Amino acid sequence: MDGDRLSGGKLMRRKTLLKKLDKMLDEAIAGTFEVQSYEESQLSKIEAKTARFLELSQLKREQIDNEQARVRSLISDISHQTKTPISNITLYSQLLAEQNLTVEQSHLASQILSSAAKLDFLIQALVKTSRLESGIIKIEALPGNIFDLVNAAVSECESLAADKIINLNFPENQPPLTALFDPKWCGEALFNIIENAVKYTPDGGSVSVSVTEYEMFVRIDVADTGRGIREEDLPKVFTRFWRAAESADSQGVGIGLYLARQIITACGGYIKVSSDFGKGAIFSVFLTKV
């Protein structure tokens, strides 16, 4: 009998301890945790350690927030301070190109203009990336016609494709298909993907865009006949500023696909890539179907 009562007492104390621990965790999650005075020395130790852990976590969070704020401020300052010099370089390069220059001088003026455009694009991409990562830019996924989204992105890339004599294919006049996406930002993400495919496809090649409907989601495929991506490089494709060694002679800063993934993820979708090196690549965007 005494043994049973002892076991019952231990069980009761254990239940009480678990209830208190459960309450401590609830308060920690809610941000209302405060150290209390208990008789149980073990519980007091847990309380003290929990309070210390939350304190250190809060300090770490504040340090990260402060660092992100400094980075955002720095990027904003850089964008502001370089706007006028870049505009001047662009203007003077255009004026210079209109002069009676030799072939070599014309080439140099063209290189200056191209570099200024590349620098301007890089700075604007950095600003967008910073704002996306910090939550300043709000992406809201709303029901919309997926074909309107794709048609708009394809249309923006038609001029670049025509310059390279690339056949840009996308079936028109398809029935409405509704999915969740942010029209502005998902449009930019899709444009980045299609532009990237056109950019890295040799002259005379083709880029095909297609939409496939599934029960729960919609898949947008962008397939090209470019050089493709090596298998060991596939995990790096969506990394910020990454570019394949074979792309050194092509324009770009390696941030378009990174931005595309950030945007698609914020809309509740995801993006993946597959490739047979030497035969092209396929970028697939998945969005929730409505």
Side-chain angles (χ1 to χ4, degrees):
M1 293 294 292
D2 290 342
D4 291 340
R5 284 197 297 269
L6 182 60
S7 297
K10 286 183 177 180
L11 182 60
M12 184 60 68
R13 286 194 295 274
R14 181 174 298 175
K15 287 183 178 179
T16 302
L17 177 61
L18 289 175
K19 285 182 180 179
K20 291 179 178 179
L21 288 172
D22 184 61
K23 182 182 178 183
M24 287 169 54
L25 289 174
D26 286 339
E27 291 175 349
I29 293 171
T32 59
F33 178 80
E34 292 183 2
V35 177
Q36 303 293 329
S37 178
Y38 292 101
E39 294 180 1
E40 294 89 352
S41 60
Q42 192 63 38
L43 183 59
S44 296
K45 290 179 180 179
I46 294 174
E47 261 200 318
K49 289 181 180 179
T50 302
R52 182 58 178 161
F53 170 75
L54 293 174
E55 181 183 352
L56 291 174
S57 297
Q58 180 62 26
L59 288 173
K60 190 65 176 178
R61 181 69 260 173
E62 290 175 358
Q63 289 175 355
I64 293 173
D65 289 343
N66 290 336
E67 185 62 29
Q68 289 180 340
R70 284 195 291 270
V71 171
R72 289 195 300 271
S73 178
L74 176 61
I75 292 175
S76 179
D77 288 344
I78 291 173
S79 175
H80 178 73
Q81 296 296 332
T82 57
K83 185 176 297 184
T84 299
I86 291 175
S87 296
N88 288 339
I89 293 171
T90 300
L91 174 62
Y92 295 143
S93 297
Q94 291 172 338
L95 292 174
L96 184 62
E98 295 174 0
Q99 305 303 309
N100 186 21
L101 304 176
T102 66
V103 174
E104 183 180 0
Q105 289 170 338
S106 295
H107 174 70
L108 293 175
S110 176
Q111 289 293 98
I112 294 172
L113 187 60
S114 176
S115 296
K118 183 176 180 180
L119 180 59
D120 183 54
F121 173 81
L122 172 60
I123 291 173
Q124 296 309 314
L126 283 173
V127 171
K128 288 179 183 178
T129 301
S130 175
R131 290 176 176 173
L132 275 172
E133 293 176 341
S134 63
I136 294 176
I137 292 177
K138 300 297 182 183
I139 295 179
E140 185 177 7
L142 300 171
N145 185 358
I146 201 72
F147 292 109
D148 290 343
L149 175 74
V150 179
N151 269 318
V154 170
S155 297
E156 287 189 70
C157 294
E158 285 178 344
S159 177
L160 177 60
D163 290 341
K164 298 185 65 177
I165 322 175
I166 288 176
N167 188 17
L168 181 55
N169 303 305
F170 179 64
E172 298 181 352
N173 303 319
Q174 299 195 55
L177 178 58
T178 306
L180 291 175
F181 58 87
D182 184 302
K184 179 181 185 299
W185 290 105
C186 278
E188 179 165 336
L190 196 55
F191 166 76
N192 285 345
I193 296 168
I194 298 173
E195 182 192 42
N196 197 70
V198 173
K199 188 185 301 180
Y200 294 110
T201 296
D203 294 5
S206 67
V207 174
S208 298
V209 184
S210 60
V211 175
T212 304
E213 179 183 4
Y214 295 92
E215 184 176 353
M216 300 294 292
F217 57 89
V218 175
R219 188 184 80 210
I220 305 169
D221 285 334
V222 179
D224 64 63
T225 58
R227 65 170 66 94
I229 305 165
R230 296 181 186 277
E231 184 176 357
E232 61 269 23
D233 288 337
L234 288 174
K236 310 172 189 174
V237 168
F238 300 106
T239 303
R240 183 167 28 187
F241 302 125
W242 181 85
R243 300 185 73 205
E246 297 85 3
S247 303
D249 59 340
S250 302
Q251 291 186 347
V253 295
I255 202 169
L257 291 178
Y258 171 80
L259 278 172
R261 186 181 65 172
Q262 294 290 101
I263 293 167
I264 297 300
T265 300
C267 282
Y270 67 97
I271 180 174
K272 70 175 187 178
V273 59
S274 59
S275 178
D276 186 358
F277 185 67
K279 297 182 180 179
I282 301 175
F283 285 83
S284 301
V285 174
F286 297 81
L287 296 171
T288 303
K289 179 183 170 184
V290 178

